[in-house]
Amino acid sequence: MSWPVTELDAVARMRVLAAALPGAFLAETVLDAPFERVWAVAADLENELPRLLRTIRSVRIVRDDGEDLVADITGHFGLRDSFDIALRPGWCVMQSGRVVGGMAAVAEGAGTRFAFLGALRVPGTRPLGPVLSLAGRPLGRGMHTRLRDRVAGTDD
């Protein structure tokens, strides 16, 4: 007997990750730009992530082993942490002991479907899941708007 097999694209995998993390939020959008242009901006973590995600003040890559990175990320609200990062074309997951973040992108027609994930990794998060998910939506919408502007070159 053979089992059914399916392949998940990067955005579908990010949906699975969001479903598995208590209190995670996932925001998706379709950008009117080719995958290569969208991912070039999104994957430039040191330069672009602080522009895209307003809770981050700086990102400094301290170890680069190809697709596996370590970064020191400092936030505007006092968060300063070291993040292990898996960065591949169309896929980025960043995690510390307290936070998980992710981005995924796939070509969709002439544009790009882009997903942004955020979750807390602290005890007691599960009961707050629906509240945290709701609270994350404006953060995701803001990131999508800034990404759209950066890709179009209209925010310089």
Side-chain angles (χ1 to χ4, degrees), residues 60-65 68-72 82-85:
R60 186 171 60 88
I61 304 297
V62 296
R63 193 176 82 226
D64 184 345
D65 294 331
D68 298 314
L69 312 169
V70 174
D72 288 337
S82 179
F83 284 75
D84 292 320
I85 302 171

Side-chain angles (χ1 to χ4, degrees), residues 66-137:
E67 294 182 340
D68 298 314
L69 312 169
V70 174
D72 288 337
I73 298 180
T74 303
H76 291 287
F77 304 117
L79 173 68
R80 183 182 196 121
D81 216 339
S82 179
F83 284 75
D84 292 320
I85 302 171
L87 180 63
R88 293 163 182 76
W91 179 258
C92 178
V93 173
M94 304 167 276
Q95 62 180 334
S96 73
R98 297 178 281 192
V99 177
V100 177
M103 300 180 289
V106 294
E108 184 169 297
T112 303
R113 177 166 294 279
F114 185 85
F116 171 65
L117 170 137
L120 297 177
R121 296 178 73 179
V122 294
T125 302
R126 188 169 298 281
L128 298 174
V131 172
L132 293 172
S133 182
L134 268 173
R137 288 183 188 160

